[in-house]
Amino acid sequence: MVKAGSLRIEFAPKNANKPGSFVIKSSASSQGAAAMLFPYKHSYWSEINPATLGSRHFHSTEEDSKETVVTTNRYGSSKVEVKEVSTTTETGAVSTKSFAFPFGITRDIFSAFLYIRSQKLAPGEEHTLLLMPFKTPCLLKVTVVAMEKHLGRDSLQLSFALQKIDRTTLKLRTYKKLKKPATVWLSDDAERIPIELRASVYIGDVRAVLTGFSKKP
């Protein structure tokens, strides 16, 4: 197994001055040999309604060897407004795209996680969510597979199946980067902490394993 990168997620970070919103931020980067082959880093910022766990605002910056993409999503009661600005690394050329997706009950990736985490999550339980994680709408189907021991902890095994949605026809399409549903283990306790993720993607099989977490005093 090769260590390919690191991911840090902060829930309600101290520097977030957004009264009335629950803020989540994350940062990630490829490392080592993976960084040589697939240089990548991201910075995400999500603002969520603490009462409904619905999305309000999502901002992302993603950078690889070819381009830097900045995406801003604003989630309203009847639509999601999306703006994407891409800058080509080699030439500095800038491309801007803006549109609205006319469905209000749409979540970003962190809102979806908080919603799933808040459910009972009994084996066999299923949830279907409409996502607009970046510029592409997706349908997420989550199935609770089992309660089991995983990496020495009481855990919940979940299956995450993702399909793209054509914005014009609303037809479902295959999400080609994900070859089959991803498997996620959450701690089976009040925290519901992600313990591990396994996914078969276009570059091969990848794993993300929790290496540490801390709680605010």
Side-chain angles (χ1 to χ4, degrees):
M1 184 183 299
V2 177
K3 184 176 181 180
S6 65
L7 169 67
R8 176 183 175 87
I9 303 176
E10 295 180 74
F11 296 85
K14 292 182 179 181
N15 63 343
N17 185 21
K18 292 290 181 178
S21 289
F22 184 79
V23 173
I24 301 176
K25 60 184 291 189
S26 78
S27 58
S29 63
S30 56
Q31 296 179 346
M36 298 291 291
L37 295 172
F38 304 100
Y40 171 83
K41 61 182 179 180
H42 86 225
S43 175
Y44 297 160
W45 175 281
S46 175
E47 297 171 22
I48 294 170
N49 184 328
T52 66
L53 302 182
S55 299
R56 287 176 169 166
H57 175 83
F58 180 77
H59 182 83
S60 75
T61 300
E62 295 188 299
E63 182 178 343
D64 60 24
S65 60
K66 296 180 180 180
E67 62 181 353
T68 298
V69 180
V70 178
T71 307
T72 304
N73 291 1
R74 297 187 181 278
Y75 302 80
S77 59
S78 61
K79 63 182 178 180
V80 183
E81 296 179 332
V82 180
K83 181 179 180 181
E84 181 192 77
V85 180
S86 302
T87 304
T88 303
T89 301
E90 184 175 352
T91 65
V94 177
S95 172
T96 300
K97 300 177 182 178
S98 299
F99 65 90
F101 184 62
F103 294 91
I105 307 176
T106 308
R107 300 176 183 272
D108 68 34
I109 52 177
F110 297 117
S111 167
F113 170 72
L114 290 184
Y115 174 81
I116 293 299
R117 177 182 175 274
S118 71
Q119 302 305 298
K120 184 178 179 181
L121 299 184
E125 188 174 324
E126 296 183 345
H127 296 276
T128 301
L129 303 177
L130 181 60
L131 302 186
M132 180 69 85
F134 303 98
K135 68 175 182 180
T136 303
C138 298
L139 189 71
L140 173 67
K141 293 186 177 181
V142 180
T143 303
V144 184
V145 178
M147 300 171 64
E148 60 186 14
K149 285 283 187 180
H150 186 69
L151 299 181
R153 302 184 63 160
D154 290 336
S155 305
L156 297 161
Q157 183 190 149
L158 282 70
S159 170
F160 283 68
L162 196 63
Q163 291 177 285
K164 289 184 177 181
I165 300 173
D166 187 291
R167 294 203 311 265
T168 302
T169 65
L170 300 184
K171 291 182 178 180
L172 295 176
R173 294 182 173 179
T174 301
Y175 189 76
K176 295 181 179 179
K177 290 184 178 181
L178 188 64
K179 294 184 178 181
K180 59 183 179 180
T183 301
V184 177
W185 285 268
L186 301 182
S187 61
D188 188 10
D189 54 25
E191 303 297 336
R192 297 277 175 86
I193 298 169
I195 298 172
E196 183 178 353
L197 176 147
R198 296 183 187 178
S200 179
V201 299
Y202 68 105
I203 60 171
D205 293 335
V206 298
R207 294 177 63 185
V209 181
L210 179 71
T211 59
F213 73 94
S214 61
K215 297 176 65 174
K216 293 181 178 180

